[in-house]
Amino acid sequence: ATGTTFAPTNGLWRSNDGTATNWSQITTFGGNNIRDLALVAFDSDVLWLGETDGTLRRSTNATDAAPTFTPITVTGAPSNASVSEVAINPLNPDDVVVVYRGLCGNQCNNADNRMRRVFRTLDAGDNWADISGTDGNPVGNLPNLPTHSVVFDIGTSPVSIIVSNDAGVLRSSNDGQTWERLGLGLPTADSKMLQIDDSVEPPVLRL
C-alpha cells in the first residue's frame, strides 16, 4: 500500500501514515530480533523477514491489520546462524537470496566444499540451493567468513548476485557456481553493507 513503511527491531513495526511518523508494533515473534526485511517493490503485501536465530518468515498480506507470517525452512543453512540480509530479485519476486553471519562450524569440515554462506530460492521459499560455490572447487567458492549483505545486479545478463563479507565484495554471474572479487582497486576489508540503484543504466553499486 502507498505510504506503508516497515521497520525491524524487537518485533516488526509498521507505519501507514506516509511520513513514517506514527508506528505500531504488529508482531513480536516471541522476542526474536528481526535482523533484516525485504519487500517486493511493486507489492507491499509480500514481505520477507530474517531473524537473529536464523529463522526466515514470509507474509503475503503484510498490510493487513493482522498480517500472517509463514516460517520458511532453508535446507542446508548453517545451524543457529543469524540471517544477515535478504534480497529479492526486482525482476522476479519468487527469486530470493539469503546470506548468513558467523562461521560454518562442523557442517563445513571439508575445506574443498561449499561453506553454506548464501542460499537461493526460485519458488518463493519452497526449495533452496546453496549457491556458495561448487563442492570440490575451493578456488571459486565463497570463504568461510561472515557474509553481511547481498544484492541482485539486474544490469547483467544473466542477472548476477553480489555479496559482501569480512574480506570484501564478490560477484557470481553463473548462479553461484563460482565467485570472484568484484572490480579493481577495492581493498581487502570488512564490507558491511551493499546498496544498488537499478533505476539508472548501468546500475550503481554503493558499499
Side-chain angles (χ1 to χ4, degrees):
T2 303
T4 301
T5 306
F6 298 91
T9 178
N10 189 14
L12 181 65
W13 295 72
R14 184 176 64 197
S15 173
N16 296 320
D17 59 15
T19 63
T21 301
N22 300 301
W23 294 86
S24 59
Q25 189 178 42
I26 58 175
T27 185
T28 63
F29 298 131
N32 286 333
N33 285 327
I34 298 173
R35 176 75 186 177
D36 187 54
L37 62 81
L39 191 68
V40 172
F42 52 83
D43 185 355
S44 298
D45 274 322
V46 180
L47 179 66
W48 287 77
L49 304 176
E51 300 177 31
T52 55
D53 67 354
T55 300
L56 271 184
R57 300 179 193 268
R58 178 176 182 264
S59 176
T60 57
N61 63 347
T63 61
D64 284 4
T68 56
F69 287 84
T70 302
I72 303 291
T73 298
V74 181
T75 305
S79 299
N80 300 317
S82 172
V83 171
S84 287
E85 198 165 83
V86 183
I88 302 171
N89 184 342
L91 303 178
N92 177 5
D94 292 337
D95 184 3
V96 178
V97 171
V98 58
V99 296
Y100 290 90
R101 294 167 62 86
L103 302 176
C104 186
N106 293 333
Q107 294 171 292
C108 300
N109 54 15
N110 186 339
D112 288 340
N113 291 343
R114 292 166 289 177
M115 294 291 110
R116 306 187 187 210
R117 302 291 83 207
V118 186
F119 289 79
R120 185 181 190 181
T121 178
L122 298 174
D123 52 17
D126 289 339
N127 298 281
W128 294 85
D130 181 352
I131 61 165
S132 308
T134 302
D135 287 349
N137 180 34
V139 174
N141 290 352
L142 289 174
N144 189 11
L145 293 172
T147 306
H148 303 297
S149 191
V150 57
V151 294
F152 282 92
D153 183 358
I154 62 173
T156 63
S157 183
V159 171
S160 55
I161 299 168
I162 303 171
V163 302
S164 67
N165 62 22
D166 276 8
V169 182
L170 300 98
R171 177 198 294 271
S172 177
S173 300
N174 55 9
D175 299 327
Q177 296 178 54
T178 58
W179 294 82
E180 59 184 3
R181 290 186 61 84
L182 180 64
L184 298 174
L186 289 177
T188 300
D190 190 355
S191 301
K192 293 294 188 183
M193 181 178 293
L194 301 173
Q195 291 184 329
I196 194 164
D197 181 359
D198 51 36
S199 67
V200 297
E201 181 60 40
V204 175
L205 178 69
R206 298 181 176 89
L207 331 181

